[in-house]
Amino acid sequence: SYLRHVDSRKLMPNGAGHIPHLKAVILGEALASEEDDLVLPSKEFSDQANVHSPEQYMEMYKRSIEDPDGFWSEIASQFYWKQKWGEKVCDENFDVRDGKIKIEWFKGGITNVCYNCLDRNIEAGLGDKVALYWEGNEPGLDGSLTYSQLLNQVCQVANYLKDIGVKKGDAVIVYLPMINELPITMLACARIGAVHSVVFAGFSAESLAQRITDCKPKAVITCNAVRRGTKPILLKDIVDAAINDSAKDGVSVDVCLVYDNPVALKREDTKWTQGRDIWWQDVIPKYPSTCPVEWVDAEDPLFLLYTSGSTGKPKGVLHTTGGYMVYTATTFKYAFDYKPSDIYWCTADCGWITGHSYVTYGPLLNGATVLVYEGAPNYPDAGRCWDIVDKYKVSIFYTAPTLVRSLMRDGEAVRYLYALMFTVYLCEIDLRINAFGFWIRYVTRYSRKSLRVLGSVGEPINPSAWRWFYNVVGDSRCPISDTWWQTETGGFMITPLPGAWAQKPGSATFPFFGIQPVIVDEKGVEIDGECSGYLCIKKSWPGAFRTLYGDHERYETTYFKPFAGYYFSGDGCRRDKDGYHWLTGRVDDVINVSGHRIGTAEVESALVSHPQCAEAAVVGVEHEVKGQGIYAFVTLVDSVPYSEDLRKDLILTVRKQIGAFAAPDKIHWAPGLPKTRSGKIMRRILRKIAARQLDELGDTSTLADPNVVKQLIELSDS
Ligand code: 6R9
């Protein structure tokens, strides 16, 4: 049915250039009818693109749906397989009504992802090509590794891990900032068949402990400290606290490998546990720089990555080897129109799925040059990203809407200031002020000529941010790949192919090869044509996750039971008259703050762990920069008075238990919460109160105590 949508749309003639009126769009200002504005790639871009026309996309897409085995096995054959897969390319049961959910791709195939990222590319002559550029937080601090150098370092770490007893299938927790050692460690694990579980180094000790307890790692790999912006973060202290915590649950960590980062903290100031802790620099260089590969089955696990769901406990999303390898490599190549001469920069941290699939595996599998940036994107000022783009001649820049919006806001502030200064200049008061004005034009003071393709991920990108990204950052010549996907999907699902499609600002456009998105109604019935509903996927794809670690039942319940026969994404989606997809955000109790997924239940359970908090209900609320902010309704235990100190303490509790990125933006004191007679909190009402849409509260008659709502509104501004 999807093919019909695409066929029926009136395809714009390719290479017609930009729609003239778009050129007239003033910075960031929304147009009257967002949906009908098409932005076409230039003829020059399309002519050189990997997929250069809608017709070519259609042909490839059709084949991927009608003959998935042929389509994917042809692509998979470009990789190295010690032994080819068995009879079936894909073996799946995607329908809970037919029994246990099972997804297998290339089963029986024997390969290794690290070998395919490094050794295979070196054999193909890329040994001296830069694999990783590293740019430190402090301008001027940088480094690079060629493919051969990277392989040597990966082998040293792999040999060390083997030496301390890490074997195929063992878990290793990685809690590192964005330094080259992070992808190096991931690849070293992959080389020996160990399962890495990277934990974003912004997570608190308690969150880290929870993950250690769940996957019982053979080792934890970290760094003593890191500087992001001006702030030093003492990672080793957090790891110490986490290891102590998980010891209370009976899970002990025998080895903690610590990378010494002297820029952030001196060795002698780092707290140390003799016998357990060991400095990276003291041991790793001693190991041989070659290491035989552990050949694994395509369905052997590659990594575990914990993500938030709508209930309290984070879910260990498990990805396996063969399908993930083929899928991340292919999506990277097409969605970014990758060419061997590209310099690629993705601003995501390897602690999230984007850093797994599109900092590490996807690009390296393609033999790409990847930039790893340690610092904050606005340090020392909001021009840092474009400074880095110019320094390394970055051609593909992939980031999140929240960063686009915050840089846009800084840029806008500068526009006003600049206008003011221009007035001053006209008055001939001080010419130097005008020169200063030029300096603070964060984007335009840099050339950005090397940019070719832009990318967005993590949350829906609003059309005005899209236009700013396109017109200002990309000088109206770089297509934007707005890639919709998830930790669970492993790789891009709905994404523009930059040379093929006319784009609509804010729409993720069309499905990637092999992906069949469907929109279903509440009953799980597919809706055709122009419609809105729940976004589901029919049939598996190579990069799909295979289970939730240790809880296959939760995997089925969360993703395959809500709409039998489909994978349920948890997102809402609208399809317009031309078949373009518009993601509308999560429909479950997950909030997306600056592109980070946070379960409302996780924040609630952190809040109620505070001795003075009796009950909490958390909802998402629109936020100018972060996309969504966290809004918490809190009921205190009897007779405890509201106070500013308590408010701060509650926020601190969440920071400590989850991480700073999950801190509530607002605490709303609630003498009571709106509940149905059966005791269920009516979040619909809370969302309206949080958004100050008080005339849209809807039916409150089913509430056990309708007075509660009145009280909450009265306390709104306290
Ligand atoms: C890759 C990643 C997944 C959730 C997903 C959706 C949102 C991601 C998006 C997008 C609209 C996009 N999301 N990309 N929404 N347009 N281009 O972010 O994975 O951390 O698991 O988050 O993010 O709501 O369901 P993850």
Side-chain angles (χ1 to χ4, degrees):
S1 70
Y2 177 73
L3 289 174
R4 260 205 330 270
H5 297 304
V6 179
D7 277 333
S8 65
R9 56 183 298 276
K10 292 180 230 73
L11 298 174
M12 296 292 295
N14 192 31
H18 304 293
I19 303 284
H21 73 262
L22 266 178
K23 288 202 172 144
V25 175
I26 307 165
L27 279 183
E29 273 175 26
L31 290 175
S33 158
E34 289 168 352
E35 205 182 89
D36 288 322
D37 294 312
L38 291 175
V39 183
L40 273 92
S42 66
K43 179 163 172 10
E44 300 78 64
F45 190 97
S46 291
D47 283 351
Q48 59 79 59
N50 293 336
V51 179
H52 50 76
S53 65
E55 292 75 14
Q56 190 193 351
Y57 162 83
M58 276 306 298
E59 205 178 292
M60 291 175 76
Y61 181 75
K62 238 174 126 172
R63 164 132 199 260
S64 74
I65 300 302
E66 287 165 2
D67 174 23
D69 286 12
F71 182 88
W72 288 114
S73 57
E74 243 167 57
I75 293 178
S77 305
Q78 297 160 17
F79 295 95
Y80 179 79
W81 299 81
K82 182 98 186 140
Q83 183 186 307
K84 208 180 161 219
W85 50 93
E87 298 256 295
K88 286 184 174 166
V89 175
C90 168
D91 189 8
E92 69 173 21
N93 173 30
F94 217 60
D95 192 330
V96 272
R97 292 165 300 195
D98 299 336
K100 209 171 152 198
I101 297 291
K102 177 180 93 170
I103 301 171
E104 285 177 353
W105 283 81
F106 309 111
K107 177 90 180 149
I110 305 292
T111 188
N112 182 289
V113 180
C114 175
Y115 183 89
N116 274 291
C117 285
L118 304 179
D119 312 56
R120 182 181 58 100
N121 282 324
I122 292 167
E123 274 161 37
L126 297 187
D128 294 332
K129 182 176 178 179
V130 173
L132 300 178
Y133 277 122
W134 177 76
E135 168 80 4
N137 179 58
E138 295 305 321
L141 216 58
D142 53 25
S144 68
L145 287 175
T146 63
Y147 270 85
S148 298
Q149 291 167 332
L150 177 60
L151 174 62
N152 291 349
Q153 297 208 7
V154 165
C155 286
Q156 289 184 315
V157 179
N159 282 322
Y160 166 76
L161 290 174
K162 280 207 308 204
D163 202 23
I164 60 165
V166 178
K167 295 198 177 58
K168 182 180 164 203
D170 287 342
V172 172
I173 287 242
V174 186
Y175 189 73
L176 281 170
M178 283 300 276
I179 52 180
N180 283 346
E181 285 65 23
L182 178 43
I184 288 172
T185 306
M186 293 162 76
L187 290 162
C189 290
R191 191 164 193 89
I192 61 169
V195 183
H196 59 73
S197 182
V198 184
V199 178
F200 171 57
F203 271 110
S204 67
E206 286 185 38
S207 294
L208 179 59
Q210 205 172 24
R211 286 152 176 77
I212 292 174
T213 308
D214 197 62
C215 76
K216 304 174 186 59
K218 274 276 160 66
V220 173
I221 301 183
T222 188
C223 166
N224 50 352
V226 65
R227 247 176 219 284
R228 264 176 72 85
T230 50
K231 237 178 33 199
I233 306 160
L234 304 181
L235 298 180
K236 175 65 169 40
D237 283 3
I238 298 172
V239 170
D240 285 348
I243 293 179
N244 284 344
D245 255 23
S246 45
K248 287 181 208 145
D249 292 325
V251 176
S252 67
V253 172
D254 299 331
V255 179
C256 180
L257 181 68
V258 187
Y259 184 80
D260 181 8
N261 188 8
V263 181
L265 186 71
K266 287 199 208 112
R267 253 191 199 213
E268 55 270 29
D269 295 337
T270 307
K271 291 196 197 100
W272 211 245
T273 303
Q274 284 302 339
R276 183 198 69 189
D277 299 346
I278 189 145
W279 288 111
W280 174 296
Q281 284 91 334
D282 287 355
V283 284
I284 300 297
K286 293 187 187 146
Y287 281 86
S289 56
T290 57
C291 172
V293 167
E294 178 81 38
W295 298 106
V296 300
D297 191 282
E299 280 305 331
D300 279 335
L302 177 63
F303 68 86
L304 253 182
L305 183 60
Y306 289 87
T307 187
S308 293
S310 41
T311 54
K313 201 173 153 243
K315 304 177 284 197
V317 167
L318 185 100
H319 281 285
T320 56
T321 299
Y324 177 84
M325 171 173 84
V326 171
Y327 197 68
T328 52
T330 313
T331 44
F332 176 81
K333 173 175 166 189
Y334 288 109
F336 292 137
D337 187 46
Y338 172 71
K339 302 283 156 47
S341 55
D342 278 314
I343 308 285
Y344 167 78
W345 180 22
C346 165
T347 63
D349 191 290
C350 285
W352 308 107
I353 189 69
T354 307
H356 284 63
S357 304
Y358 302 108
V359 172
T360 311
Y361 293 114
L364 294 180
L365 285 162
N366 279 281
T369 296
V370 182
L371 173 74
V372 173
Y373 174 48
E374 178 190 43
N378 55 359
Y379 177 79
D381 67 33
R384 184 69 187 273
C385 287
W386 324 122
D387 183 31
I388 295 175
V389 164
D390 281 0
K391 176 172 172 186
Y392 295 93
K393 304 276 175 291
V394 171
S395 56
I396 306 173
F397 177 69
Y398 186 36
T399 192
T402 183
L403 182 71
V404 174
R405 283 192 299 266
S406 82
L407 297 177
M408 175 173 151
R409 191 189 53 179
D410 292 337
E412 291 297 288
V414 166
R415 274 202 326 158
Y416 294 122
L417 203 67
Y418 195 55
L420 189 80
M421 285 172 172
F422 192 61
T423 321
V424 173
Y425 165 68
L426 285 181
C427 300
E428 292 179 24
I429 293 178
D430 192 345
L431 279 170
R432 277 168 308 175
I433 296 184
N434 198 40
F436 177 66
F438 174 75
W439 183 75
I440 55 171
R441 283 160 61 198
Y442 294 125
V443 186
T444 48
R445 99 175 111 112
Y446 298 101
S447 139
R448 293 158 287 110
K449 284 277 175 295
S450 54
L451 289 174
R452 206 166 76 70
V453 178
L454 302 173
S456 170
V457 62
E459 52 175 318
I461 179 161
N462 44 309
S464 63
W466 194 101
R467 286 201 181 82
W468 185 83
F469 201 23
Y470 183 79
N471 291 327
V472 180
V473 175
D475 280 335
S476 310
R477 54 178 183 81
C478 309
I480 299 178
S481 285
D482 174 8
T483 58
W484 175 79
W485 62 296
Q486 308 176 297
T487 305
E488 293 86 341
T489 68
F492 305 151
M493 300 294 279
I494 301 182
T495 175
L497 298 186
W501 290 121
Q503 296 191 284
K504 294 188 182 189
S507 164
T509 71
F510 299 102
F512 191 72
F513 305 130
I515 304 301
Q516 298 187 59
V518 293
I519 297 180
V520 302
D521 66 12
E522 242 128 68
K523 296 196 188 78
V525 179
E526 272 182 46
I527 337 174
D528 238 357
E530 209 180 328
C531 63
S532 294
Y534 302 100
L535 179 59
C536 292
I537 311 289
K538 210 190 228 177
K539 292 207 171 327
S540 78
W541 59 97
F545 68 141
R546 306 304 201 237
T547 191
L548 290 178
Y549 180 67
D551 202 348
H552 198 72
E553 203 180 319
R554 189 175 177 201
Y555 172 73
E556 293 179 340
T557 312
T558 314
Y559 301 101
F560 295 93
K561 283 195 179 150
F563 303 108
Y566 305 108
Y567 162 77
F568 173 47
S569 67
D571 278 321
C573 184
R574 180 167 66 85
R575 189 165 45 211
D576 72 15
K577 60 183 191 310
D578 301 319
Y580 281 69
H581 293 81
W582 300 77
L583 276 299
T584 53
R586 302 287 307 192
V587 292
D588 53 9
D589 291 326
V590 171
I591 316 181
N592 194 325
V593 181
S594 300
H596 299 158
R597 267 166 74 169
I598 299 166
T600 51
E602 281 175 75
V603 183
E604 285 163 7
S605 92
L607 286 167
V608 296
S609 74
H610 190 285
Q612 285 163 334
C613 174
E615 199 169 20
V618 167
V619 296
V621 65
E622 214 177 292
H623 189 288
E624 204 192 327
V625 172
K626 298 197 247 179
Q628 278 192 303
I630 301 181
Y631 195 110
F633 293 87
V634 170
T635 307
L636 298 176
V637 294
D638 273 350
S639 72
V640 171
Y642 308 136
S643 73
E644 183 55 20
D645 283 349
L646 184 52
R647 195 183 67 81
K648 286 190 185 142
D649 208 32
L650 284 163
I651 294 175
L652 192 68
T653 307
V654 180
R655 291 174 77 99
K656 270 203 197 134
Q657 282 192 24
I658 306 175
F661 63 92
D665 296 275
K666 167 89 185 167
I667 301 279
H668 185 135
W669 302 121
L673 292 168
K675 290 182 186 165
T676 60
R677 286 187 194 93
S678 61
K680 215 169 172 321
I681 295 174
M682 289 184 81
R683 286 169 196 278
R684 171 177 62 80
I685 294 177
L686 293 177
R687 279 190 205 105
K688 294 290 176 196
I689 295 175
R692 299 287 183 275
Q693 293 164 339
L694 302 179
D695 45 352
E696 294 172 29
L697 292 180
D699 181 18
T700 53
S701 62
T702 53
L703 286 175
D705 177 7
N707 267 331
V708 167
V709 174
K710 226 173 82 204
Q711 283 175 335
L712 280 179
I713 294 171
E714 281 165 14
L715 280 167
S716 270
D717 298 309
S718 63

